[in-house]
Amino acid sequence: MADSSFDIVSKVERQEVDNALNQTAKEVSQRYDFKNVGASIAWSGEKILMQANTEERVSAILDVFQSKLIKRGISLKALDAGEPQQSGREYKIFASIEEGITQENAKKVAKIIRDEGPKGVKALVQGDELRVSSKSRDDLQAVQALLKGQDFDFALQYVNYR
């Protein structure tokens, strides 16, 4: 019998992020505390730009955006938001969406699987994802449960289960 396997990835659906951004922009345009303060959120290339006339308001835009991401099922670990920066009269926050597992993070996950996981489970780094394989599907489910119990500083998804 062939080995069963699944892939561990760190991906974010761009469309869901776009929907969360549009919902945030709509709420910012309608909320009373954001009226006539130049508050906005929009894509700026590959980054997300939030701006307002005070540091508190730009931080409030970030909070609204984070709540919209959570409602859409996107982990906040994928959001890399900077600190508010003053630019003239306005404050700005640049945020980016992190995707892919770095080589060092993939090695950390593989080491945890090797050290704490069931015997006979193999973890192989393939670019920005990690392939986990074993003869037993139960062992693969045990690995998933093990990794869900860990606290990584990046989001994990399990795909391509066969």
Side-chain angles (χ1 to χ4, degrees):
M1 188 172 110
D3 284 0
S4 299
S5 68
F6 68 89
D7 294 335
I8 301 173
V9 296
S10 181
K11 293 196 187 322
V12 176
E13 281 220 32
R14 171 87 177 197
Q15 185 62 49
E16 291 296 326
V17 175
D18 209 31
N19 291 342
L21 187 133
N22 291 335
Q23 287 178 340
T24 304
K26 185 175 182 181
E27 184 170 326
V28 165
S29 71
Q30 293 176 346
R31 264 181 45 180
Y32 178 76
D33 56 337
F34 290 124
K35 291 280 187 206
N36 303 322
V37 296
S40 67
I41 180 170
W43 285 105
S44 174
E46 284 297 308
K47 293 189 179 267
I48 298 165
L49 170 65
M50 294 162 259
Q51 55 190 19
N53 64 352
T54 66
E55 191 172 345
E56 292 80 25
R57 286 197 177 112
V58 79
S59 295
I61 294 171
L62 178 60
D63 289 342
V64 171
F65 183 56
Q66 287 175 336
S67 70
K68 299 298 182 189
L69 286 175
I70 290 170
K71 285 181 183 174
R72 295 212 150 266
I74 297 172
S75 174
L76 291 184
K77 293 178 181 178
L79 180 69
D80 182 26
E83 293 297 314
Q85 302 168 347
Q86 188 168 7
S87 173
R89 292 184 180 172
E90 292 193 328
Y91 285 86
K92 297 180 178 185
I93 294 179
F94 285 97
S96 62
I97 303 297
E98 302 290 321
E99 286 193 302
I101 301 175
T102 62
Q103 288 291 327
E104 64 184 49
N105 287 339
K107 287 178 183 174
K108 282 184 203 171
V109 174
K111 183 173 179 1
I112 289 173
I113 292 170
R114 254 193 330 275
D115 295 347
E116 301 175 28
K119 300 294 176 218
V121 175
K122 295 185 291 275
L124 179 69
V125 178
Q126 295 180 331
D128 62 349
E129 47 184 60
L130 191 70
R131 165 87 32 104
V132 179
S133 60
S134 172
K135 296 228 180 275
S136 166
R137 287 179 178 239
D138 292 341
D139 288 349
L140 293 179
Q141 290 174 343
V143 167
Q144 285 183 359
L146 170 71
L147 294 178
K148 284 179 183 167
Q150 300 289 324
D151 185 32
F152 296 110
D153 57 348
F154 54 96
L156 293 179
Q157 292 90 27
Y158 309 104
V159 297
N160 208 9
Y161 191 80
R162 15 178 177 157

